[in-house]
Amino acid sequence: MDNLSDALKKLKITAVDSTTDSLEGCLDCLLQALAQNNTETSEKIQKSGILQVFASLLTPQSSCTAKVANIIAEVAKNEFMRNPCVDAGLIQPLVQLLHCKDQEVLLQTGRALGNICYDSHEGRSAVDRAGGAQIVIEHLRSLCSKTDPAIEKLLTVFCGMLMNYSNENDILQSQLINMGVIPTLVKLLGIHCQNAALTEMCLVAFGNLAELESSKEQFAYTNIAEELVKLFKKQAEHDKKEMIFEVLAPLAENDVIKLQLVEAGLVECLLEIVQKTVNSDKEEDIAELKTASDLMVLLLLGDESMQKLFEGGKGSVFQRVLSWIPSNNHQLQLAGALAIANFARNDGNCIHMVDYGIVQKLMDLLDRHVEDGNVTVQHAALSALRNLAIPVVNKAKMLSAGVAEAVLKFLRSEMPPVQFKLLGTLRMLIDAQAEAAEQLGKNMKLVERLVEWCEAKDHAGVMGESNRLLSALIRHSKSKDVIRTIVQSGGIKHLVTMATSEHVIMQNEALVALALIAALELVTAEKDLESAQLVQILHRLLSDEMSAPEIKYNSMVLICSLMGSEPLHKEVQNLAFLEVVSKLRSHENKTVAQQASLTEQRLAVES
């Protein structure tokens, strides 16, 4: 350390005289000391004030420049040295050195800039102001095709520098994307896939950039999918595969890239991983199985990629995914059910799958998870059933297969995601199925649970779906028994509240159900309609200029139906409905205007 102190003193003097030999000796002494104890040596360098001297030594003409840059790279490994390097004015001369032709100078300069940028806002800002990133990208472009080891080492350092420069900084990442870094990095990966260090650096850079939406569009114009799949097939180590997965997951969110990955053969790789890891207890195999099956499900979220893999229901991928559902592995059960839900995104696929017997597989899966079951598997299986129930031709088939009964077993669930899907599945199943709607609507346990969930204010989705199912039971059954069950369970007030929803579709469903109640069981529901202030709400809906035409129309139909009840009739008279309705006779919507005339006549006769 005495030698170090001497070297620092000498450096200050020598730097002015610039006698190369003595300068080289001092720099070698510093590098040696840094190799032995980097932190302590860096502290001494900082205290000595020599950093400012380094700025004057960073000249392309000097034979010591590479060593000075190397020392800066070494000291900048310490967090406490990065800001002092910026304050000492080192960034501008370092960036200028990027124009140099000497490979060793370029290498050490790239290291120095990369280390100063690491986790340092000041370092990055200084490099940004000096225009360092653009010069590095130009180097990557011009050196990209050269494969000798020294150049590959330089390329690796430059990639690392850009990564440290932009890591977790959206603005700087966008800047690199606009400078065209993505096609260059993809080209690098293709040419240098045999070089582990450079490949790894490219992957980390992709992982950083792939989170940005603008990057995905640029990636889609490259052959990144092909290169990543090619690289993936060569990997045997878990860590390397995981690195590629971390790039694939954000990229696969883009529909164009999804299709490219499917065409490049990623699915076959994923299926192979599943096969190899499914029976393993090793932690890394379990993690790999999860990642592979999750990515498989993600690929199926794109319409084109999904349809390509479905292949009219005859595709080998579709068949393999089906075999996951009866598996004993929860992760595979989950992925299988989610995959079916994703395949079930158009009527043709849904009809084929129901005819193919998939409903029974999903019901068997649900059966295995009724008691203390896996919530994510329950949710996924219910999602798949809900989607399959959308085509009209599937509803009766699924009802006769016992889907409603299978779903009702989960009424006890206290998990909102499961409740939400359960409600959606039942609502899809009874659409235009009068018999099923009546059967379910007379099920007191179900209706009571629906009324309870209509008050689940912490879970807007569950609350909304419960209201919609209550209304659907009435609208599709048109049954007096169903209405009486709902009145008895205290459901009327919720349907009245639903008429004030911010969603027009829900308002409409509520008004149609209430009109059926008024037409079929007015006496039974009278008190509940009165205490829920239905008449006042209808007055508000008709007076509100923002109400949709169908809301105004159905509100007037409902007013006419309420005239058969004495207390409700009185409320209508007390609220000057005639005045509001007569204004609607000149409404731009003809159906509304006609209904206004009819309602006005009815009100005039009844007054």
Side-chain angles (χ1 to χ4, degrees), residues 138-405:
E138 282 161 15
H139 275 304
L140 288 177
R141 252 185 228 128
S142 64
L143 299 170
C144 186
S145 307
K146 298 183 177 172
T147 54
D148 62 276
I151 293 284
E152 287 193 320
K153 194 177 177 187
L154 182 57
L155 289 169
T156 306
V157 165
F158 279 159
C159 282
M161 181 255 157
L162 290 180
M163 192 183 71
N164 286 355
Y165 170 71
S166 66
N167 189 31
E168 292 182 356
N169 185 313
D170 288 1
I171 295 167
L172 294 179
Q173 286 175 355
S174 296
Q175 181 200 75
L176 294 184
I177 291 164
N178 293 336
M179 288 173 179
V181 76
I182 286 172
T184 305
L185 289 173
V186 174
K187 198 173 167 191
L188 270 178
L189 182 70
I191 295 169
H192 303 275
C193 56
Q194 302 303 326
N195 185 305
L198 184 49
T199 297
E200 202 166 301
M201 209 50 92
C202 285
L203 288 173
V204 177
F206 291 147
N208 281 346
L209 297 170
E211 298 292 341
L212 283 189
E213 211 46 55
S214 58
S215 80
K216 289 169 195 165
E217 289 158 22
Q218 281 215 16
F219 275 120
Y221 285 107
T222 70
N223 62 337
I224 184 75
E226 200 184 311
E227 294 297 353
L228 287 174
V229 173
K230 212 183 338 175
L231 191 65
F232 193 84
K233 285 175 179 171
K234 292 178 189 165
Q235 304 309 321
E237 293 169 47
H238 170 74
D239 292 350
K240 294 282 182 344
K241 283 185 195 167
E242 198 175 353
M243 250 185 134
I244 302 170
F245 272 140
E246 280 171 12
V247 181
L248 288 169
L251 286 180
E253 287 168 13
N254 177 284
D255 282 0
V256 177
I257 299 175
K258 279 187 184 80
L259 186 60
Q260 290 172 353
L261 288 167
V262 167
E263 286 170 343
L266 178 62
V267 172
E268 289 71 15
C269 298
L270 298 176
L271 291 173
E272 200 180 312
I273 287 175
V274 168
Q275 205 171 343
K276 280 181 185 169
T277 56
V278 66
N279 298 314
S280 171
D281 296 330
K282 277 194 210 161
E283 208 171 298
E284 63 180 42
D285 285 345
I286 293 166
E288 212 167 285
L289 173 76
K290 181 178 177 357
T291 309
S293 54
D294 283 349
L295 189 50
M296 182 78 200
V297 172
L298 182 57
L299 291 175
L300 292 173
L301 275 172
D303 288 338
E304 282 187 77
S305 50
M306 176 272 286
Q307 213 52 46
K308 189 174 179 68
L309 294 171
F310 189 66
E311 288 183 70
K314 296 177 178 68
S316 61
V317 173
F318 172 63
Q319 303 295 333
R320 288 278 288 278
V321 165
L322 269 190
S323 71
W324 295 355
I325 293 174
S327 143
N328 290 321
N329 183 303
H330 281 186
Q331 175 56 36
L332 273 197
Q333 292 171 359
L334 170 65
L338 287 172
I340 296 304
N342 286 346
F343 279 127
R345 286 211 316 280
N346 63 50
D347 282 9
N349 291 6
C350 289
I351 292 163
H352 176 87
M353 286 194 278
V354 168
D355 290 344
Y356 196 75
I358 281 169
V359 169
Q360 192 56 53
K361 288 187 194 308
L362 289 167
M363 290 200 304
D364 292 345
L365 177 59
L366 277 175
D367 245 7
R368 295 164 69 181
H369 288 275
V370 175
E371 299 300 327
D372 308 317
N374 182 303
V375 173
T376 52
V377 175
Q378 292 171 358
H379 180 262
L382 289 167
S383 294
L385 287 171
R386 181 199 173 280
N387 288 2
L388 290 170
I390 293 172
V392 178
V393 292
N394 282 357
K395 297 179 196 294
K397 292 175 188 172
M398 289 175 73
L399 285 163
S400 60
V403 172
E405 292 75 12

Side-chain angles (χ1 to χ4, degrees), residues 515 542 549-563 577-578 580-587 589-603:
L542 288 171
E550 57 268 42
I551 301 302
K552 291 190 187 294
Y553 174 84
N554 283 324
S555 296
M556 288 187 282
V557 170
L558 182 48
I559 285 292
C560 295
S561 303
L562 296 177
M563 294 311 211
F577 264 86
L578 258 173
V580 180
V581 171
S582 63
K583 277 184 193 168
L584 293 174
R585 276 192 342 209
S586 55
H587 196 277
N589 183 298
K590 281 183 183 167
T591 317
V592 171
Q594 283 169 350
Q595 186 57 42
S597 297
L598 293 172
T599 307
E600 188 181 35
Q601 287 166 25
R602 183 78 191 270
L603 289 170

